[in-house]
Amino acid sequence: MTYSLAGQTITAPDTGGHGLDMSNGQDWLVEDCLIDLSACPLDQLDEAVGVVWGSSAVFRRCVIRGAGKLVLCGSGDTDKLNVERGKTVIFEDCILEDFGRRGPEAQSGMRVMLRGCLIRNW
């Protein structure tokens, strides 16, 4: 089963400091979303997007911006290596901007693919 998120605007982090947290092993399709944490103090944020703990995702036509750490794919947690290895996160026609690092970062054997994306102000 694939979970979908479309046309959403996220401007504040959840209680874990993430704009969008995908961490329960689901597959996600995220389309036409704006994840903009520019107005949030950096000390209240973890990543704008986290795809970890066995989840995978496809982002289409999304704008993700305004965080010190933008996108983490794979947690780096030793006990999660088996469920993360080989999972893929795809960005198609997205804009990733105004961030310090992790634009995007892959750990734990996860794969990241970018197609037709713009990365600026890294």
Side-chain angles (χ1 to χ4, degrees):
M1 176 177 190
T2 299
Y3 291 83
S4 295
L5 187 66
Q8 299 294 309
T9 298
I10 298 169
T11 58
D14 63 14
T15 56
H18 302 95
L20 186 56
D21 182 19
M22 303 168 171
S23 60
N24 293 318
Q26 298 106 343
D27 298 319
W28 287 86
L29 174 61
V30 182
E31 297 179 298
D32 305 305
C33 289
L34 170 63
I35 302 165
D36 184 356
L37 302 180
S38 300
C40 301
L42 289 177
D43 64 351
Q44 294 178 12
L45 301 176
D46 197 4
E47 283 89 20
V49 173
V51 186
V52 298
W53 296 357
S55 290
S56 63
V58 175
F59 291 84
R60 291 190 181 125
R61 300 171 306 278
C62 294
V63 176
I64 306 170
R65 67 173 162 230
K69 298 183 281 183
L70 202 65
V71 179
L72 177 62
C73 304
S75 66
D77 297 341
T78 304
D79 62 328
K80 300 297 182 184
L81 284 172
N82 288 336
V83 296
E84 292 182 339
R85 185 176 291 117
K87 295 289 182 168
T88 301
V89 181
I90 300 170
F91 296 88
E92 297 175 342
D93 302 315
C94 293
I95 298 172
L96 309 173
E97 64 184 351
D98 301 330
F99 60 98
R101 60 188 180 117
R102 293 190 175 165
E105 180 176 323
Q107 297 184 24
S108 303
M110 287 189 68
R111 296 181 293 230
V112 174
M113 297 172 56
L114 295 109
R115 297 182 185 128
C117 294
L118 173 64
I119 297 176
R120 65 180 172 197
N121 298 331
W122 182 346

